[in-house]
Amino acid sequence: MTPTPASLPARGLIWGLGFSHGSAPMLERLSQAGLIDARLGPTDKPLPREALVTHWQSAHAFVVVGACGLVTRLIAPLLTGKDSDPAVVVVDPQGRFAVPLLGGHGAGADQLSHRIAASLGGQAVLTGASAAAGRLSLDSFGRGWGWRRGAGDWQELMLAAGREGDQSLQVEARHGSPRWLGLDAAAHLQAGANSAVAKPAMFVDIHTGSGCRWHPPSLWLGLGCERDTSLGLLERLVDQTLAGQQLAPQAVAGLASIDRKADEPALLELAARRHWPMRWFDAASLAAVVVPTPSAAVAKEMGTASVAEAAAQLAAGPGARLLLTKQIAHAQGTERGAATLAVALAEGQWAPQRGQLHLVGSGPGSLDLLTGDARQTLSAATVWVGYGLYLDLLEPLRRPDQLRWDGQLTEERTRCALALELACQGLNVALVSSGDSGIYAMAGLALELWLAQPADGRPSFAVHPGISALQLAAARAGAPLMHDFCTISLSDRLTPWAVIERRLQAAAAGDFVVALYNPRSLGRDWQLARARELLLAGRPASTPVVLARQLGREAEAVSLHTLGELPVEQVDMLTLVLVGNSSSYAKDGRLVTPRGYPGAELS
C-alpha cells in the first residue's frame, strides 16, 4: 500500500467492499493501485456487511463499489458523529466517479476521492460548499501542510465560511510556512491582524488560545537527563513547561537529545507515547552550537557544554532560534533523576519525518500518457515544483488547494533544494520532470541532496516513473528497440565532450541502436554533426534515423531519414534523434530493428 498522505488522518485500514459480482474487477484495480488495504466481495467471509459493522470504529475508511443509496442505508445505523466516523467513498463499477459520501473533511474522504479518481482516470464528485466554490476547507486543509488541528468551534467556522459568500474571512498566520496564503483556494482569505474587520476566524499559531487554531510543526524540544530518569519526571517537565508558555503540544514537531542517550528508556517511551520523532546528535555537533547557558559540568561529562539547548536548535532546522532556555526539573516523590528541557522555534516549520518527496515523471506532455501512479501522486501532493513548461502541461489536473512553484530550465539544483526543503517542513511535495524523472532528469540530483541529510532528518523519498521520450519515439516510429540500445546526451554542460565522444565511439563499435538526447541548441550547434561522423564509422550511411520532435504535444512531428543525409539543421533541443543499428531498416514509413542479427536462430 502506498503511504497514507499527511492530508489523511492516521487511523486503521482502508477497506474495499463490493456487494455485487460486478464489483470484483474494480476492487482488484483499487488494490493494485494501493488505494485499499483489504477487500471483501459478495461471496467472501466475512461478508462485506459484517465487515462494515465489525470495523466501523477502527477503520480509516471504506471504499465501496456500488450504489450510493445502498451504502447510505447500510451505514445509517452506524453513525455516531463527524469526529469519530470513518471516511466512506462510493465508486461505481466502471470507475468513472468517486463520491465522498461521509467524512469529506475531517476523515479525509475528499482527499481519498481525489486519489481514487486520479488513479482510475475518473472524476471526484465533491458536493461540499468549499469544494464547489474552489475554496479551502478550513477545518481540514492544514493536514496537507503538516499541521495539527487544535481547539475551536470548527463547525461554526465552516458555517461562517458558507455565510460569508464572497466576503473575505480574516485569518492570522503567525507561525508555520506562509506559502499556503498563495493558494488559489485561499484568495478569499484576508491574512494579518486588522482592527477594521472582525476578530480573526482562524489562527495558524504555536500557542494555545481562543478561536479555531491550526498548529504547525514549529517547536522542537531538546531534552537532557540523568541516567534512568523517571518517565513521570520527563512528562511533568514537558507538560508544565508547555502549559506555562501557552505552547500547544500539537505544535511540537519532535524531541532531540545527545546520541549517548539513544537507549534511555524514559526518553524513548515519552517519544512513543506522544508520537513525537526523536533526533540524536553527537557531542561534536552539539558543542558547535552557541547557547546562552553552557555548563562546564555537562561539558566534562558529555563532551559538550549543552545538550537540551543545542539539540533543540539543531533539530529545528535552518534559521531556528531558541525560544526557551533550558528548564531544570528534579525528582519529586517516587521519581528518579533530573532533566533539562529547552524549546527551539523553527524559522517557519520543520518536520522532516512528516514530509514526503515524490519524483514524478510526467511523460512526454500529453495527459493521456501520464501513468495512473503519477496521477495519484500528483493528486495527493500539497505542492508541485517543476519547470514552468512541464507544469503548464499538467495544469488541468491541479486543484485550487494545491500550490505550484515554477523554476527556470537550467536551475535544476535550486528546484531540487526547494522541493527537499518543503518536504523537510512536513509537506507532501511532487518534484516534476518531463519524461521519466530517472532518465536525464531530477531523480539523481534530488536523491544526492536527500542522502546528504542526516538519516533521522529526512522526509520519505519515492520515484514514480513516466514514459520517456525514447519510449514514445520508438512507439511512433515502429519497433526500433527490439535489440540492444543505449542513450547518450550530447550536452557537454555537465559532461566533458571528450567523454561523450568515447561513448559515441563505443556505441558505434558495439552496433547499438542509439538515442541522442539534447542533440543541438543555439549554443551547441556542431556536436550533432560530430556525433553523426563518429556513428558512421561503425554503420552504413543508409542506416535509418528518426527525428521525433515535441513528442506527446500538439506540435508533434516524427520523420524518417538516413544517417548519411541527416538534416542536422532541423534538429533542436525539443528533438530526440533515434539512430538504428546495422540491421535496422525502414519500410513503408516504419522503422524496425530485427530481434536477431542475420544468421541468428530465433526460437
Side-chain angles (χ1 to χ4, degrees):
M1 163 110 185
T2 53
T4 300
S7 55
L8 299 183
R11 202 172 170 178
L13 298 179
I14 298 180
W15 286 86
L17 305 179
F19 294 92
S20 69
H21 292 286
S23 64
M26 181 51 59
L27 289 174
E28 175 66 21
R29 289 180 65 184
L30 293 170
S31 179
Q32 290 185 359
L35 291 163
I36 57 177
D37 299 300
R39 53 181 167 149
L40 291 172
T43 60
D44 293 320
K45 300 295 182 182
L47 293 173
R49 294 172 187 262
E50 297 171 355
L52 195 64
V53 175
T54 301
H55 300 290
W56 184 258
Q57 295 297 328
S58 61
H60 167 66
F62 293 92
V63 179
V64 185
V65 181
C68 288
L70 168 66
V71 180
T72 301
R73 288 190 293 272
L74 289 174
I75 68 173
L78 306 175
L79 301 180
T80 58
K82 64 183 301 181
D83 293 329
S84 57
D85 291 329
V88 177
V89 177
V90 180
V91 181
D92 67 286
Q94 286 73 42
R96 294 170 299 179
F97 306 107
V99 183
L101 193 65
L102 184 70
H105 297 175
D110 285 357
Q111 290 293 326
L112 182 56
S113 296
H114 281 305
R115 291 176 58 207
I116 291 171
S119 179
L120 300 177
Q123 178 182 353
V125 183
L126 275 59
T127 57
S130 299
R135 294 179 173 179
L136 288 178
S137 298
L138 298 180
D139 62 344
S140 61
F141 86 97
R143 294 193 186 99
W145 291 80
W147 307 344
R148 299 287 187 260
R149 206 171 79 172
D153 189 342
W154 292 94
Q155 184 173 359
E156 175 56 32
L157 174 64
M158 296 305 294
L159 292 174
R163 290 193 300 265
E164 290 292 335
D166 292 331
Q167 300 178 24
S168 295
L169 278 175
Q170 179 79 4
V171 300
E172 279 195 33
R174 298 170 176 169
H175 298 99
S177 171
R179 293 180 185 271
W180 69 276
L181 292 167
L183 291 169
D184 298 338
H188 67 294
L189 300 176
Q190 185 172 341
N194 188 339
S195 59
V197 299
K199 182 180 179 181
M202 186 186 77
F203 300 85
V204 182
D205 195 1
I206 61 172
H207 294 99
T208 56
S210 61
C212 293
R213 291 177 178 259
W214 281 107
H215 299 300
S218 300
L219 302 178
W220 278 86
L221 309 185
L223 280 166
C225 64
E226 294 179 353
R227 181 59 68 182
D228 295 324
T229 291
S230 299
L231 173 63
L233 186 155
L234 292 182
E235 291 189 312
R236 175 170 58 83
L237 174 59
V238 168
D239 293 339
Q240 290 182 357
T241 300
L242 293 178
Q245 300 295 316
Q246 293 186 305
L247 296 174
Q250 298 95 325
V252 175
L255 307 177
S257 189
I258 191 168
D259 57 4
R260 285 178 57 182
K261 294 294 182 180
D263 61 349
E264 189 67 42
L267 278 177
L268 297 175
E269 180 63 19
L270 175 64
R273 287 192 177 190
R274 304 297 174 94
H275 303 288
W276 288 337
M278 284 280 334
R279 294 203 60 190
W280 309 102
F281 299 97
D282 59 37
S285 299
L286 296 172
V289 180
V290 177
V291 297
T293 59
S295 167
V298 172
K300 182 178 180 180
E301 176 69 22
M302 307 299 292
T304 172
S306 170
V307 172
E309 292 175 345
Q313 290 183 80
L314 285 179
R321 65 181 178 86
L322 201 59
L323 185 66
L324 184 66
T325 58
K326 69 180 180 183
Q327 309 294 299
I328 303 175
H330 297 282
Q332 296 179 358
T334 59
E335 295 174 344
R336 300 183 308 277
T340 58
L341 168 67
V343 182
L345 177 65
E347 186 174 38
Q349 59 186 66
W350 198 257
Q353 295 86 347
R354 296 188 194 179
Q356 301 176 46
L357 180 57
H358 296 274
L359 278 293
V360 178
S362 64
S366 171
L367 294 180
D368 293 338
L369 297 173
L370 188 66
T371 68
D373 176 52
R375 281 179 177 268
Q376 186 184 158
T377 302
L378 288 169
S379 176
T382 303
V383 183
W384 294 5
V385 177
Y387 173 47
L389 173 61
Y390 306 152
L391 295 184
D392 286 343
L393 297 170
L394 297 172
E395 186 64 14
L397 302 180
R398 188 174 68 91
R399 302 188 306 272
D401 64 335
Q402 294 178 302
L403 187 67
R404 166 177 166 164
W405 190 90
D406 291 24
Q408 300 301 312
L409 182 60
T410 58
E411 297 179 354
E412 291 88 353
R413 179 171 290 274
T414 300
R415 296 205 298 276
C416 286
L418 174 66
L420 179 59
E421 178 186 347
L422 292 172
C424 285
Q425 291 176 7
L427 279 63
N428 183 338
V429 182
L431 179 55
V432 177
S433 302
S434 67
D436 185 297
S437 62
I439 301 177
Y440 297 123
M442 309 289 284
L445 178 55
L447 183 55
E448 286 186 278
L449 294 177
W450 182 83
L451 289 170
Q453 306 301 308
D456 63 351
R458 298 170 180 161
S460 65
F461 183 96
V463 180
H464 305 270
I467 296 176
S468 68
L470 167 68
Q471 291 171 288
L472 186 56
R476 295 288 194 259
L481 304 181
M482 295 296 100
H483 214 288
D484 296 339
F485 62 91
C486 67
T487 65
I488 299 175
S489 171
L490 297 188
S491 172
D492 57 357
R493 189 167 68 90
L494 299 175
T495 306
W497 179 252
V499 174
I500 297 173
E501 283 215 359
R502 289 201 299 271
R503 292 174 179 173
L504 288 164
Q505 290 167 344
D511 200 25
F512 287 93
V513 175
V514 183
L516 299 177
Y517 279 73
N518 305 311
R520 187 171 180 267
S521 67
L522 291 177
R524 296 184 298 98
D525 58 358
W526 58 269
Q527 284 90 339
L528 179 58
R530 175 58 177 159
R532 177 183 61 178
E533 178 182 338
L534 293 171
L535 291 173
L536 281 169
R539 62 198 68 182
S542 59
T543 300
V545 177
V546 174
L547 298 185
R549 189 175 187 276
Q550 290 273 46
L551 286 165
R553 304 171 191 174
E554 290 185 4
E556 178 181 298
V558 179
S559 57
L560 270 170
H561 307 271
T562 64
L563 188 58
E565 298 181 358
L566 181 65
V568 173
E569 68 284 350
Q570 295 182 17
V571 177
D572 60 14
M573 288 291 285
L574 300 177
T575 306
L576 183 130
V577 180
L578 190 58
V579 183
N581 67 12
S582 62
S583 65
S584 303
Y585 65 91
K587 184 176 182 180
D588 296 335
R590 302 282 182 167
L591 171 61
V592 62
T593 300
R595 290 180 58 206
Y597 275 77
E601 293 185 6
L602 298 180
S603 58

